[in-house]
Each structure stands twice: as C-alpha cells, then as structure tokens.
C-alpha cells in the first residue's frame, strides 16, 4: 500500500520537540523526505546549546527514513531563503512547508515590554511569512516554467489565543490572529499555481503549554501531539488538493473546521453622532457573544 506522502519533500519548522517533532516523525513514516528545522532554543527563545534538530533527523534516518537537520532562524528573511534552498538542493524539490516554530513570552498588556512584544511577533508572524514567501516564489517560478499546477502545500499554525483571545497573551494572540488572516489571503493568492494554504488550531500538551493551567490525566492524554499530526500529514499530502483557506481545530478532543468573521446584525447607516449610540449598543447586544478559550460563549 503506498504511503500518503511518498517522496514528498517537507520542511517542518520548530521540529526539534513537541508537536513539530511528531509532525516530522509521522511525515517520514508516510514516506516524506523531511527538513527538520529547529534553533534548539528554550520556551522563551534563549539558546539551549543542544541540537534537537539533529536528534530528530537521526531518529528518522535510523528508522529508515530520509531527513536532514536545519538550524536557520525562520524569522530571518535570508535565513528562511537558505532553508528553502537547502531542501531543494538536498532533495531536489519542495512540496510542503509546515510553519510550526514558536515561542511564548506571556504578560498582560500593562506589563508587557517592547522586547517581549517584538520577540513573539517576530518568531510567529515574520517566522511564518518569511519561509512562506520563499517557498511560494519557488512554486510560482516552477509553475511558470512547466505550466502545470505544482500541487504544493503550506500549513500554518494559529491558536485559540488568536482566534478566541486569551488573557496574558496579547503578543502571541495578535500573532496567531495574523497568521489566520495570512492563511486565508495566501490561499487566494497561490491557488492559481496549485498551492493550497491551510492552518491548524492545535491543542497539545507540550513545553509551550506546560504550567499555563493544571490539567487532568485525561486532558493531557487527549492533548498528545498524536491527535494533531495525522491532520497535518494529510494536509501535506497530494490528496488534499481540494482543501484550502481553512483552519482546523485538532487535539484536545477536537476535530473541527473553524469558521471566521462574518457580518452580524446590521442597521441603516447613520451620520449623526447624537443618534448612532443607541443603534450601535443594540447591534452589540444582538451580535453573537465572543467566546472563551474553550469556544463557549462569554457572559
């Protein structure tokens, strides 16, 4: 029986631990040739002095798969270009990019420093843009050369923090909301070349989420990365060419397609400040409630 990602070349960023490691291992088990990218930094972005990318690549090779380690900084524009080029030079092609790398520097708005804001926005938002930009340019040029759809994939990582909003994560949430918007826009732009762009909203128990709140043994089991990786492997495969511009909620007992902003209650336009207040208050009260991190209506 053929494997789902046989001979597809896939870059996974932040693949040294946690969800990214699970992606890399499951992709390789399904026949993908994997570029394991990781800076091997701590949860908050500091150098740890170890090479987790090398360890995962060795694990894949030992199991009979193909993988190379890559240590480029995804938020560095030139570094992201080198990472994409490394995949093409080593394996001869690139078929999918999984943007997974991330850090946390949680703080409430009143207490957040400029450095904490910049660090998280840089890794998540620019670290999704830069690899995607270089991969997209490669696929565009390939399409122009051959005239054939390239059947390529970008899989981004959003979060409930960005889609629903989480107290203490204004930097992380803003980045993840931005990634959701990038996903939808890029899907529209790249469709002509045969590139699909989707994102996931993962619920996983990794070092990124440790200590945020106490969880039961059952919750932790439901948040194992094994519940998330199969969806990402499928999105990276050639089989998913008819799905694009979507965000999927995976893990934590969920398998769902997210639905984005839509126009809610409306009224006739008003150009008088003395009359608009009651109308806007009525619209706000009639609109669907915002939701909490579990997707339930806020009071």
């Amino acid at each position: 029986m053929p494997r789902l990602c046989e001979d597809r070349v896939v870059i996974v960023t932040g693949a040294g631990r946690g969800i990214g490691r699970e992606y890399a291992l499951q992709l390789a088990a399904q026949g993908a040739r994997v570029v394991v990218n990781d800076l091997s930094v701590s949860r908050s972005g500091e150098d740890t002095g170890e090479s987790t990318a090398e360890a995962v690549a060795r694990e894949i090779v030992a199991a009979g798969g193909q993988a190379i380690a890559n240590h480029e900084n995804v938020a560095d524009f030139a570094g992201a270009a080198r990472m994409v080029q490394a995949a093409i030079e080593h394996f001869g092609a690139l078929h999918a990019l999984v943007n997974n790398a991330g850090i946390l520097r949680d703080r409430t708005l009143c207490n957040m420093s400029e450095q904490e804001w910049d660090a998280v926005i840089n890794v998540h938002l620019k670290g999704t843009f830069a690899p995607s930009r270089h991969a997209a340019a490669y696929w565009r040029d390939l399409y122009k050369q051959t005239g054939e759809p390239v059947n390529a994939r970008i899989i981004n990582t959003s979060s409930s923090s960005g889609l629903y909003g989480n107290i203490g994560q204004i930097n992380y949430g803003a980045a993840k909301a931005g990634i959701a918007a990038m996903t939808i826009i890029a899907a529209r732009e790249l469709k002509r070349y045969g590139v699909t762009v989707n994102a996931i909203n993962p619920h996983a128990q990794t070092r990124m989420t440790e200590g945020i709140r106490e969880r039961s043994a059952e919750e932790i089991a439901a948040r194992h990365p094994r519940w998330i990786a199969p969806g990402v492997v499928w999105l990276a495969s050639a089989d998913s060419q008819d799905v694009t511009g979507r965000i999927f909620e995976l893990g934590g007992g969920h398998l769902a397609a997210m639905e984005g902003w839509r126009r809610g209650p409306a009224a006739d336009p008003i150009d008088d400040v003395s009359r608009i207040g009651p109308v806007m208050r009525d619209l706000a009260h009639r609109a669907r409630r915002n939701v909490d991190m579990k997707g339930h209506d806020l009071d």
Side-chain angles (χ1 to χ4, degrees), residues 32-78:
R33 294 169 285 172
V34 185
V35 177
V36 182
N37 167 266
D38 204 288
L39 273 181
S40 303
V41 297
S42 70
R43 182 172 178 259
S44 58
E46 287 80 31
D47 185 11
T48 63
E50 58 179 322
S51 178
T52 54
E54 293 282 0
V56 174
R58 286 197 299 269
E59 187 174 354
I60 289 171
V61 172
Q66 297 184 60
I68 59 169
N70 179 274
H71 305 97
E72 296 289 354
N73 181 351
V74 295
D76 179 84
F77 194 73

Side-chain angles (χ1 to χ4, degrees), residues 197-256:
V197 187
N198 294 284
I200 62 156
N201 166 25
H203 299 277
Q205 187 71 10
T206 68
R207 66 175 187 157
M208 284 277 286
T209 58
E210 287 173 355
I212 292 178
R213 71 175 181 87
E214 291 295 322
R215 302 186 192 278
S216 68
E218 291 77 13
E219 286 180 304
I220 292 173
R223 293 169 66 89
H224 191 283
R226 72 187 180 91
W227 295 106
I228 302 167
V232 170
V233 173
W234 181 77
L235 286 173
S237 75
D239 188 49
S240 63
Q241 72 271 13
D242 59 330
V243 176
T244 193
R246 294 297 184 182
I247 299 172
F248 293 93
E249 187 174 23
L250 297 169
H254 300 286
L255 174 55

